[in-house]
Amino acid sequence: MTLAIQGATVPPSIANSGALSQIANWQAGVLGGGPADPSALYVFWAGSNDLVGATAANYLDRIQTVRDNVTAAMNTLTGLGAQSILVATRTPRQFLDTENDLWGQAMNAAIHTLVGQLDASLPGTIRV
């Protein structure tokens, strides 16, 4: 069985393997429902896959999806007790000069702005 996601066929082994699913699995499996280690550094790196298959008509919606997912992840992690979170962005690709690379730069800028807002409103420290 395979799933169709945004025009691509995805094997079931990677279905529900996005960052939010990974956090839920980590919470249930590793933490066993307990709190996160408040002295650990948590690295969250996601978003670039959301631009795969983007078009000029929908890339801003895709970037909003990234913002929504980062917000949900930071709320979950800080709610579990994480105190130090590093949010990674997409590798800069300014020299390639394609639409996808420009959209990646726009996504990175959106993440930078969002992380500043989340750091001010959530407990702990969240940095890019």
Side-chain angles (χ1 to χ4, degrees):
M1 179 180 142
T2 57
L3 302 171
I5 297 177
Q6 298 172 356
T9 300
V10 178
S13 60
I14 63 169
N16 298 318
S17 63
L20 298 180
S21 293
Q22 291 176 37
I23 290 173
N25 290 336
W26 167 75
Q27 180 181 7
V30 175
L31 296 181
D37 180 349
S39 64
L41 172 63
Y42 296 88
V43 178
F44 182 81
W45 191 2
S48 197
N49 288 347
D50 292 302
L51 293 180
V52 172
T55 65
N58 72 5
Y59 83 94
L60 290 174
D61 292 335
R62 300 284 186 94
I63 291 172
Q64 185 58 50
T65 297
V66 172
R67 289 177 49 86
D68 294 344
N69 288 340
V70 170
T71 300
M74 295 306 103
N75 278 302
T76 299
L77 291 172
T78 57
L80 290 169
Q83 293 293 306
S84 300
I85 304 170
L86 173 66
V87 177
T89 61
R90 183 176 180 172
T91 305
R93 301 174 185 167
Q94 295 90 340
F95 59 94
L96 296 177
D97 197 32
T98 65
E99 283 182 327
N100 184 271
D101 299 315
L102 296 173
W103 300 336
Q105 292 173 44
M107 181 188 73
N108 285 352
I111 290 171
H112 275 269
T113 300
L114 176 64
V115 166
Q117 295 165 350
L118 293 170
D119 182 54
S121 66
L122 294 173
T125 302
I126 305 170
R127 297 285 189 264
V128 176

